Amino acid sequence: MLHKPTDSRCRVLFTIFTLYANLLTRVRTQEILKGFKASPDSSISLFQSLLHDASGNYSFGFLRVNATRLVLAVIHVPSEEPLWVGNPNNPAKWSNPTNLIFNGSLVLSDKSGVIWSTYTNGGRVILSNTSNLQVQNMDADGSVSILWQSFSFPYDTLVDNQNYTTNMSLVSSNGLYSLKLGNNFFGLYANFKEGLEQIYYKHTALEAKASIIDGQGPVYLRVSPDGFLGMYQASSDPTPVDIETFKSYGVPVPGIHRIRIEPDGNLQGYYWNGTVWISDYQAISDQCELPSACGPYGLCIPGSGCACLNNNTQFTPSGCSEPGSGDFCRNDGVENKFSVIRQNGVELLYKELMGYVKMNSLEACETSCDKNCTCWGVVYNNASGFCYSIDYPIQTMVSNREETKYGYFKVSKSTNGSGKKVESGLEIGLVLLGATLLAIFGFSGYQIWRRKRRVKTLVEDENGVNPGPYKNLGSASFRSIEMT
Ligand SMILES: *[C@@H]1O[C@H](CO)[C@@H](O)[C@H](O)[C@H]1NC(C)=O
Ligand SMILES: *[C@@H]1O[C@H](CO)[C@@H](O)[C@H](O)[C@H]1NC(C)=O
Ligand SMILES: *[C@@H]1O[C@H](CO)[C@@H](O)[C@H](O)[C@H]1NC(C)=O
Ligand SMILES: *[C@@H]1O[C@H](CO)[C@@H](O)[C@H](O)[C@H]1NC(C)=O
Ligand SMILES: *[C@@H]1O[C@H](CO)[C@@H](O)[C@H](O)[C@H]1NC(C)=O
Ligand SMILES: *[C@@H]1O[C@H](CO)[C@@H](O)[C@H](O)[C@H]1NC(C)=O
Ligand SMILES: *[C@@H]1O[C@H](CO)[C@@H](O)[C@H](O)[C@H]1NC(C)=O
């Protein structure tokens, strides 16, 4: 604590000290040179700045995540919004001996070794006034070459003038959704099952002012300070082959624009109005059209919110069921078992982006799924005869009350929630206990165990036949895809 100075000499000293302290906080590091080393400061609760851009609007440093972890980030200073994160999937510990050095490479290490590095041999690190972190070399003739830049490795956000090319990937913070470029479109993809990417939104270039020319290289995206997301081909730049306008299109705004792929799978645009971020673009405007608006096994009812595919389950803020994983092809006997939910009047989202097979009857459609262990469910249209197969854990369906649409959904026994898991744990416990008893008491012990086990199996079958309720839902991975 500083005590109020009483004599005048002391007051002068105090004033000098205050001025000096103010000056210190105003001096911002604008370049990092070889020999730099920084460690996380335990007293900082959110962001430890290591480098600023010339305007002071952006800062690069340590961002605290999950209370005890550390990621490298570039933030927008007034809002503390992370625009770039270097090591989202591999955070370090916010404690010693974690450190960041610059020896030509920016290198983040902790006690297990190198966590993240630019793998360069540069002279300095700067943060541009567009938020681009760069490792640069000053060449002999005074020109600057860029050896590495954060704009080439985007996280979930693109800012004004940042080029997004086919070899980059923009992924939502929960890792479920990504933005990708095709030859004449950009698409949003869901990763509901490892190794399987399902497109759920596709925006094809209009080519109104310039055409995409075959053989002239891939297209890329760029957010324009004029308020649109432009698609270009190198030969067409600066005339875009497509523009997706924001609400702020053509309106000068005080700050930057950014787009971000959100944890709910939407692609959202914002601009900074000097005080807060204003949302001015959404790829998907209808909540029910989000890839998993009500979570796994949810039913989105346009205009009235969420319910569950299973009539016997009440929708709660934590959803209807835990997401399943993998498929039904494992041969361990437990994973293969499933129960079935049937629901009519349901519609698959983005079904125009999914494959289908024409079938003569609902039964034929269901049977094709029942027999195929990679199939999680089907939606059959009785009017058209189209049978859509869902090859990943069931997400949200949209209710459309059309009696010609039928849904058939498998529920994996292993998705019944943690109650089930506890039971399996208990079962293992019983087996271990059984083995011990067997060793100690011999055959009579075995008999006792067998009796216990039979009781156990009966209880389990009863649960297995009964498809609901799926109420055991606290998992973090699920919460992150809840509708907000
Ligand atoms: C910093 O941001 C403010 C708006 O938030 C803007 O007015 C100013 O021009 C920015 N400075 C630079 C150098 O970009
Ligand atoms: C910088 O340090 C890292 C980690 O200690 C090391 O692997 C790398 O070779 C060094 N790079 C240079 C250019 O010295
Ligand atoms: C950003 O820096 C460039 C030069 O690197 C300069 O031309 C431009 O005016 C700067 N922009 C702002 C907003 O300060
Ligand atoms: C984006 O691409 C255009 C066209 O190739 C180029 O002129 C521009 O400098 C690039 N912007 C950045 C930030 O690299
Ligand atoms: C739920 O209710 C609908 C109509 O009310 C019915 O057609 C459907 O079979 C029921 N589904 C289940 C799983 O009970
Ligand atoms: C099972 O479903 C997958 C995906 O729909 C399909 O590729 C495969 O051919 C099906 N297998 C059989 C035996 O029908
Ligand atoms: C399909 O629709 C027809 C005519 O609307 C109806 O008669 C038939 O029962 C429906 N099929 C099924 C499986 O419900």
Side-chain angles (χ1 to χ4, degrees):
M1 283 304 281
L2 288 165
H3 295 284
K4 208 171 176 176
T6 44
D7 91 28
S8 67
R9 213 185 315 149
C10 192
R11 199 168 298 144
V12 171
L13 275 177
F14 180 76
T15 313
I16 291 171
F17 169 79
T18 319
L19 282 175
Y20 186 62
N22 281 348
L23 195 70
L24 266 186
T25 55
R26 286 222 191 116
V27 171
R28 299 174 175 129
T29 315
Q30 286 187 23
E31 69 178 1
I32 287 175
L33 298 172
K34 278 186 184 167
F36 169 89
K37 180 170 181 177
S39 306
D41 176 343
S42 61
S43 70
I44 290 174
S45 62
L46 184 69
F47 184 75
Q48 180 175 345
S49 174
L50 304 173
L51 179 69
H52 272 91
D53 77 311
S55 71
N57 281 352
Y58 306 108
S59 178
F60 163 70
F62 297 144
L63 179 68
R64 200 188 270 268
V65 290
N66 297 338
T68 60
R69 312 295 284 186
L70 175 156
V71 292
L72 296 175
V74 172
I75 66 161
H76 175 253
V77 173
S79 62
E80 295 179 327
E81 180 69 40
L83 302 177
W84 175 82
V85 170
N87 54 319
N89 303 322
N90 195 10
K93 276 208 172 112
W94 191 288
S95 58
N96 271 328
T98 295
N99 66 69
L100 179 74
I101 61 158
F102 182 62
N103 63 352
S105 295
L106 266 179
V107 185
L108 178 69
S109 320
D110 71 0
K111 70 168 177 280
S112 62
V114 173
I115 287 183
W116 179 92
S117 170
T118 56
Y119 299 107
T120 45
N121 193 3
R124 65 168 189 172
V125 183
I126 62 109
L127 185 57
S128 80
N129 64 9
T130 56
S131 83
N132 193 2
L133 183 71
Q134 299 179 334
V135 177
Q136 300 180 335
N137 243 349
M138 290 297 216
D139 298 333
D141 61 359
S143 65
V144 170
S145 53
I146 299 164
L147 305 182
W148 179 95
Q149 54 184 335
S150 60
F151 272 16
S152 300
F153 303 92
Y155 169 50
D156 62 357
T157 298
L158 299 175
V159 298
D160 279 338
N161 293 319
Q162 180 172 0
N163 291 329
Y164 185 72
T165 62
T166 44
N167 56 8
M168 297 179 186
S169 92
L170 202 68
V171 180
S172 63
S173 57
N174 55 9
L176 274 179
Y177 307 107
S178 58
L179 170 72
K180 288 197 163 59
L181 280 158
N183 50 357
N184 67 345
F185 67 91
F186 71 86
L188 301 176
Y189 294 76
N191 193 5
F192 293 132
K193 182 175 146 183
E194 214 171 308
L196 191 117
E197 292 203 305
Q198 174 61 52
I199 185 168
Y200 60 89
Y201 176 87
K202 185 173 179 180
H203 178 85
T204 305
L206 207 56
E207 303 181 55
K209 296 221 169 105
S211 301
I212 297 169
I213 302 163
D214 280 351
Q216 294 280 324
V219 295
Y220 51 91
L221 295 175
R222 185 164 71 231
V223 176
S224 163
D226 293 333
F228 63 86
L229 178 61
M231 193 186 290
Y232 306 82
Q233 200 175 18
S235 56
S236 76
D237 203 345
T239 308
V241 295
D242 183 72
I243 69 166
E244 182 81 323
T245 56
F246 305 158
K247 281 192 207 114
S248 63
Y249 178 58
V251 181
V253 298
I256 56 162
H257 298 84
R258 67 180 164 94
I259 58 167
R260 179 170 70 181
I261 183 154
E262 304 286 346
D264 66 6
N266 213 344
L267 182 67
Q268 196 133 5
Y270 306 84
Y271 69 87
W272 178 248
N273 77 352
T275 315
V276 289
W277 291 103
I278 309 285
S279 172
D280 63 348
Y281 168 71
Q282 287 184 318
I284 299 170
S285 50
D286 184 342
Q287 280 287 311
C288 275
E289 281 170 17
L290 290 172
S292 193
C294 303
Y297 295 93
L299 181 65
C300 194
I301 305 166
S304 59
C306 288
C308 293
L309 285 176
N310 187 336
N311 295 346
N312 304 325
T313 307
Q314 194 80 36
F315 182 81
T316 69
S318 50
C320 300
S321 171
E322 278 191 25
S325 59
D327 52 35
F328 301 94
C329 298
R330 285 172 54 177
N331 283 322
D332 59 14
V334 178
E335 293 285 327
N336 269 329
K337 287 187 201 157
F338 59 86
S339 54
V340 166
I341 301 175
R342 286 189 175 79
Q343 186 66 272
N344 53 17
V346 297
E347 177 86 289
L348 256 177
L349 275 168
Y350 48 89
K351 66 174 187 314
E352 65 281 4
L353 300 172
M354 292 184 72
Y356 60 84
V357 175
K358 208 162 170 169
M359 299 233 175
N360 293 331
S361 69
L362 173 62
E363 289 68 35
C365 179
E366 285 190 1
T367 306
S368 71
C369 184
D370 183 54
K371 294 222 156 70
N372 191 337
C373 68
T374 64
C375 178
W376 278 81
V378 284
V379 171
Y380 182 68
N381 184 340
N382 190 20
S384 66
F386 292 174
C387 176
Y388 297 90
S389 166
I390 304 159
D391 300 331
Y392 48 83
I394 304 300
Q395 303 297 317
T396 299
M397 299 292 141
V398 180
S399 163
N400 74 350
R401 301 200 178 85
E402 272 181 48
E403 291 302 305
T404 56
K405 310 260 170 84
Y406 298 85
Y408 161 98
F409 309 107
K410 293 179 182 174
V411 181
S412 166
K413 284 188 96 184
S414 61
T415 65
N416 277 5
S418 56
K420 177 71 192 167
K421 277 171 210 144
V422 167
E423 207 169 82
S424 327
L426 208 81
E427 205 175 317
I428 292 166
L430 280 172
V431 172
L432 283 177
L433 181 69
T436 314
L437 286 177
L438 185 63
I440 297 172
F441 301 112
F443 187 67
S444 63
Y446 172 68
Q447 289 288 11
I448 293 166
W449 170 72
R450 224 171 61 151
R451 217 167 294 140
K452 274 192 183 173
R453 209 183 128 87
R454 205 179 301 135
V455 171
K456 190 82 207 106
T457 312
L458 276 175
V459 170
E460 193 189 309
D461 282 349
E462 205 170 71
N463 285 353
V465 170
N466 183 352
Y470 315 101
K471 290 212 176 92
N472 221 325
L473 308 159
S475 97
S477 66
F478 183 79
R479 231 178 261 131
S480 58
I481 51 173
E482 236 171 69
M483 190 151 92
T484 43

